[in-house]
Amino acid sequence: MSTPIQPWYTFEDVSYTSSLIGAAAPDASVDGRIVTELRDAILAGDLVAGTRLNQADLATQLGVSRIPVRDALQRLAAEGLVEIRGRAGTFVSALSVADLQELYELREAVEPLAARLGLPNVGRAQFLRMEQLHRQLAEEQDPRAWMRANAAFHAQLHASAGRPRMIALVEHLRRLTDRYLHLHLSVIGGLERLQDEHAQILDAARRRDPAAVAECTHVHLATSHEFVLSYLLEHDLEIPPAELKETP
């Protein structure tokens, strides 16, 4: 009997996208809380690249047993935020030029298509939600809150594409690039440019122009790709595997 092929994504990716457009509640379970806390710590740089994550220490800090910590680390490994290296332990993944380029090349290929396919199915409520989120993005100061609003803004389009695998892929890739976007927002800057690009996407969507929505989405991703890539190359932010730290 042949071994079943395991998917590269889980349907959590689809359900999470649904939560972004208001169709589902966030994961409030213990596992979900731990994943959120650890993800936020990695995105904010509190747990830097190369840090060794000790399950026992994390369980004590979070006030839980080791089992939900282990499960949370496995979920974060699927998002590319940590690396599980067998007996060597679990480490916060390094920021990598090669990783950045592959992720953004994939996003630039898939996300504009999803937005183009989704636009004809977007209703008035979703347009109003996009406008509300666009205003929120203009005022939001916290990078993590900005990223959540940004994800919801784009989800109004691609979540309507009627392509479950494509939607899951878009969401999966977005999560994998979250650390680079956080770097873009908190260190590199460029919020005004991002807001201008969101305005262009929204305008193209209002005009019901699928080709323009796809082009604006591609430009939006490609520009962010170039911004972060230039910063990584300039500051040589790839961290060698030998530079490891224990969790405090």
Side-chain angles (χ1 to χ4, degrees), residues 6-244:
Q6 296 299 315
W8 47 263
Y9 67 90
T10 70
F11 281 98
E12 175 187 315
D13 292 316
V14 179
S15 62
Y16 184 76
T17 304
S18 297
S19 74
L20 292 175
I21 60 174
D27 186 353
S29 66
V30 172
D31 286 3
R33 176 179 65 82
I34 295 170
V35 168
T36 298
E37 289 190 25
L38 292 176
R39 183 191 293 121
D40 284 351
I42 293 170
L43 292 177
D46 299 329
L47 292 173
V48 299
T51 299
R52 186 176 187 274
L53 302 172
N54 184 291
Q55 289 187 21
D57 290 346
L58 289 172
T60 299
Q61 292 168 21
L62 295 166
V64 297
S65 70
R66 292 180 61 173
I67 293 175
V69 171
R70 180 199 63 197
D71 293 344
L73 291 176
Q74 289 174 344
R75 287 173 62 178
L76 292 173
E79 295 180 20
L81 293 177
V82 305
E83 296 177 25
I84 299 174
R85 304 178 189 169
R87 292 183 179 180
T90 301
F91 302 85
V92 177
S93 301
L95 295 171
S96 160
V97 167
D99 184 54
L100 170 78
Q101 294 203 113
E102 181 180 15
L103 289 172
Y104 268 98
E105 285 165 359
L106 286 167
R107 287 189 68 183
E108 289 162 30
V110 178
E111 209 161 320
L113 174 60
R116 179 172 66 81
L117 292 173
L119 179 59
N121 303 317
V122 172
R124 179 168 177 76
Q126 288 156 296
F127 278 122
L128 291 174
R129 179 65 174 147
M130 287 183 75
E131 291 170 355
Q132 177 190 42
L133 289 163
H134 187 245
R135 291 192 296 270
Q136 180 182 341
L137 287 165
E139 299 171 358
E140 186 59 67
Q141 299 298 313
D142 177 63
R144 281 171 282 188
W146 192 97
M147 288 167 63
R148 287 191 293 270
N150 175 67
F153 176 87
H154 291 286
Q156 306 308 310
L157 292 172
H158 68 244
S160 301
R163 306 290 198 281
R165 293 179 183 84
M166 184 182 294
I167 294 168
L169 176 58
V170 167
E171 184 55 36
H172 185 66
L173 292 171
R174 186 197 62 76
R175 287 191 183 190
L176 292 177
T177 54
D178 269 352
R179 273 202 303 170
Y180 297 101
L181 179 56
H182 191 276
L183 178 68
H184 191 334
L185 298 173
S186 60
V187 179
I188 304 172
L191 270 176
E192 289 185 5
R193 178 190 58 77
L194 293 173
Q195 189 67 357
D196 287 344
E197 291 169 359
H198 284 146
Q200 292 168 14
I201 292 171
L202 182 56
D203 179 65
R206 286 197 195 103
R207 290 187 280 109
R208 293 285 185 178
D209 188 336
V213 161
E215 177 61 22
C216 290
T217 300
H218 183 271
V219 169
H220 181 54
L221 291 167
T223 307
S224 290
H225 179 181
E226 185 175 341
F227 257 65
V228 181
L229 176 60
S230 297
Y231 184 86
L232 290 179
L233 292 172
E234 181 181 350
H235 292 82
D236 193 23
L237 283 185
E238 295 198 54
I239 299 177
E243 294 185 16
L244 304 177

